[in-house]
Amino acid sequence: SYSEEVPSDCPYHGWDLYIHESWEHLYAQQRDLLEFYWHSIKALLEHFERNELLRKVSADIETLRRVPLDFQALHRDLGGDEQFKLCLEKRPDVVISCMGLAVFHLLTVQSQKDGGTAAPTRKIMARIYNYEPFTPLSSLKSVSIGQFVAIRGTVIRVGNIKPLVVSMCFSCSRCGEEIKQQFSDGKFRQPEKCTARGCRSQTFEPKMDSAETVDWQKIKVQELMDNTDAGRVPRTIEVELTEDIVDGCVPGDVITICGQVKVAGTQARSRSKSGQSMYVCYIDANSLGTPKQGDTGKLDLLQFSLAEINGIQKIVSSKDIFGLIVKSICPSIFGNHLVKAGLALTMFSGAPKKSTTKLGIRGDIHVLLVGDPGLGKSQLLQAVCEIAPRGVYVCGSYSTTSGLTVTLLRDPGTGDYALEAGALVLGDQGICCIDEFD
């Protein structure tokens, strides 16, 4: 229940860019939804002005047309309102539109005050990061459709960047009236009827030169090995990236995705029940975070706690640093100091030598462990993968040569061929441990 009366005229700039229904239509027929829009945008405007949001993210707005928003800080500033968090989880399209509209309105008002700066004309996207809790891929089922979730996983396939049409103008074949049609989720559809008075025509001609497009890319994300149940194949899900977050990751990156779970129809038909369509879940990404850039898209430096810094200083001041590192590798296995020393040298590697006349000499080395069964070779390899910032462990007896490198697969949705990364590609700039090497 709201105490303040909603005005009959729209007080916000850029309403048509974010909300498809007009203010007058909502005021007359959907007053409850309009009240939610009104009070949500008002609360967001107060939060942005109080925290000087435009001054902090001016570079992102000018170059990338986006605004990174810390959800935890926003939730705290709104007094821990659980209703707001529930609305974002259940109706993310409405809440994210309110966020973008609030930023667009603030920019327009500021440009009018300054006088010299130009008002924004294009849509500015609100990118939400630091959203919790993380949802495991095993929990993404039919009950999650339409909800806002955050997942973590490894990128195993990256598609090509393509233009996606979001709106286009149509011309009536009878009276020539021009109608602008929005395409939600990239689905092409013509207007149902002509909007001109007295014209009932239902045939239209698309005007290709009026099409508005955005960059679009599809990636495939696999759940982390730590979250995989024993004996189960790791689960995967497809993620669609748009606008400024495309081309933000490469195969092998461990990324954080915040977005809305949606469904798309496939061409596959059930043999027993002809005509029944199958649907697959995918995530329409709102934000993308990588270890190098963080959730905000900026370079994220390593952060250490005070206890970790004190521990690093103690290790530096010790006399035998290399011996301490060797003994710290897989302490559950006694001895084998020479083997552990070789693994430690592999993880730290050496200095590569580059020459203008000859081929460069790499600084990395390969290690081959040979021994009788039961000596702990597999445990040593798994310990190295856990220690390394980027480690991949595979069993060679169940892998093929193409599976270790790359596999050429065809995307059933777009028909394009894409390279799916194998273990060696996922372990690039890191450690790849192949057990049962044959």
Side-chain angles (χ1 to χ4, degrees):
S1 61
Y2 302 109
S3 59
E4 192 173 353
E5 185 67 23
V6 178
S8 58
D9 296 330
C10 180
Y12 302 121
H13 302 279
W15 176 272
D16 296 336
L17 292 176
Y18 295 90
I19 313 298
H20 297 320
E21 297 89 356
S22 64
W23 182 281
E24 292 76 11
H25 173 76
L26 295 177
Y27 187 83
Q29 300 185 9
Q30 293 179 300
R31 185 69 65 86
D32 294 338
L33 180 59
L34 185 61
E35 287 182 351
F36 176 79
Y37 278 128
W38 161 252
H39 292 281
S40 298
I41 296 172
K42 187 177 180 181
L44 290 170
L45 286 172
E46 294 175 356
H47 167 74
F48 294 158
E49 292 177 350
R50 187 163 52 245
N51 293 274
E52 299 181 351
L53 177 74
L54 298 183
R55 182 180 58 83
K56 297 178 181 178
V57 298
S58 59
D60 289 322
I61 295 176
E62 294 176 0
T63 58
L64 302 175
R65 313 294 301 177
R66 70 177 180 190
V67 177
L69 299 175
D70 189 345
F71 175 77
Q72 298 298 330
L74 178 61
H75 190 231
R76 287 194 305 267
D77 194 65
L78 294 178
D81 188 4
E82 294 299 327
Q83 187 70 22
F84 172 76
K85 186 176 182 179
L86 183 64
C87 290
L88 177 61
E89 181 182 350
K90 300 299 182 181
R91 294 293 304 273
D93 50 348
V94 175
V95 178
I96 293 174
S97 298
C98 291
M99 293 179 178
L101 179 57
V103 175
F104 189 93
H105 178 75
L106 273 182
L107 283 175
T108 307
V109 172
Q110 184 179 6
S111 64
Q112 292 176 354
K113 291 181 180 179
D114 297 341
T117 58
T121 56
R122 292 174 52 195
K123 189 175 180 180
I124 298 173
M125 296 300 299
R127 303 296 184 188
I128 301 174
Y129 68 96
N130 199 15
Y131 181 82
E132 294 178 352
F134 288 112
T135 304
L137 294 188
S138 58
S139 302
L140 295 180
K141 295 184 174 64
S142 58
V143 294
S144 304
I145 296 174
Q147 296 183 0
F148 192 83
V149 297
I151 65 168
R152 281 177 60 87
T154 306
V155 181
I156 60 175
R157 189 171 70 194
V158 176
N160 298 326
I161 300 177
K162 299 179 179 180
L164 177 69
V165 180
V166 294
S167 66
M168 182 186 294
C169 292
F170 290 84
S171 177
C172 178
S173 58
R174 178 180 296 178
C175 65
E177 179 74 13
E178 192 170 288
I179 304 171
K180 188 174 183 179
Q181 185 77 3
Q182 301 285 340
F183 302 145
S184 60
D185 298 333
K187 297 178 181 179
F188 179 86
R189 67 178 187 277
Q190 290 188 356
E192 297 179 356
K193 60 181 180 179
C194 184
T195 57
R197 188 173 183 179
C199 181
R200 298 182 179 180
S201 174
Q202 296 182 352
T203 57
F204 303 91
E205 295 180 0
K207 302 181 69 175
M208 298 299 180
D209 55 346
S210 64
E212 297 181 4
T213 60
V214 296
D215 292 332
W216 177 89
Q217 187 181 33
K218 180 184 289 188
I219 65 174
K220 196 172 186 180
V221 177
Q222 176 181 288
E223 65 179 341
L224 299 178
M225 302 303 294
D226 300 339
N227 302 331
T228 307
D229 299 333
R232 183 186 293 273
V233 178
R235 302 172 180 85
T236 59
I237 192 170
E238 291 184 340
V239 181
E240 292 188 358
L241 311 177
T242 55
E243 300 193 39
D244 57 281
I245 60 176
V246 299
D247 202 20
C249 59
V250 295
D253 284 347
V254 178
I255 62 173
T256 302
I257 292 288
C258 297
Q260 185 180 10
V261 181
K262 297 183 178 180
V263 291
T266 61
Q267 301 298 327
R269 302 281 183 177
S270 176
R271 295 182 179 179
S272 59
K273 299 178 181 180
S274 59
Q276 180 180 2
S277 298
M278 300 295 294
Y279 291 88
V280 293
C281 289
Y282 71 97
I283 295 180
D284 186 8
N286 174 263
S287 65
L288 168 68
T290 61
K292 295 179 182 179
Q293 295 184 336
D295 298 316
T296 60
K298 299 178 181 179
L299 187 61
D300 192 12
L301 302 178
L302 291 176
Q303 296 181 353
F304 297 99
S305 63
L306 186 60
E308 291 172 339
I309 293 176
N310 293 333
I312 294 173
Q313 292 176 349
K314 289 182 180 180
I315 294 175
V316 171
S317 60
S318 62
K319 297 181 180 179
D320 189 10
I321 301 179
F322 185 69
L324 179 62
I325 293 174
V326 169
K327 293 178 182 178
S328 301
I329 298 177
C330 197
S332 60
I333 295 181
F334 178 78
N336 292 325
H337 294 309
L338 190 60
V339 178
K340 295 180 180 179
L343 295 175
L345 294 175
T346 304
M347 286 190 292
F348 284 94
S349 73
K353 295 182 179 179
K354 296 182 180 180
S355 176
T356 56
T357 57
K358 302 179 182 178
L359 293 176
I361 301 175
R362 66 171 184 264
D364 306 316
I365 62 173
H366 301 308
V367 173
L368 177 65
L369 299 183
V370 181
D372 294 330
L375 294 182
K377 299 185 296 297
S378 299
Q379 296 185 37
L380 287 171
L381 293 180
Q382 292 176 0
V384 169
C385 286
E386 293 179 359
I387 295 173
R390 187 169 184 170
V392 178
Y393 175 84
V394 292
C395 188
S397 58
Y398 299 107
S399 303
T400 60
T401 305
S402 61
L404 289 175
T405 53
V406 291
T407 306
L408 185 64
L409 297 177
R410 186 172 184 175
D411 190 355
T414 60
D416 296 338
Y417 287 94
L419 294 176
E420 189 160 326
L424 291 176
V425 179
L426 297 178
D428 186 33
Q429 303 296 323
I431 300 293
C432 182
C433 298
I434 305 176
D435 203 358
E436 302 292 340
F437 191 81
D438 188 3

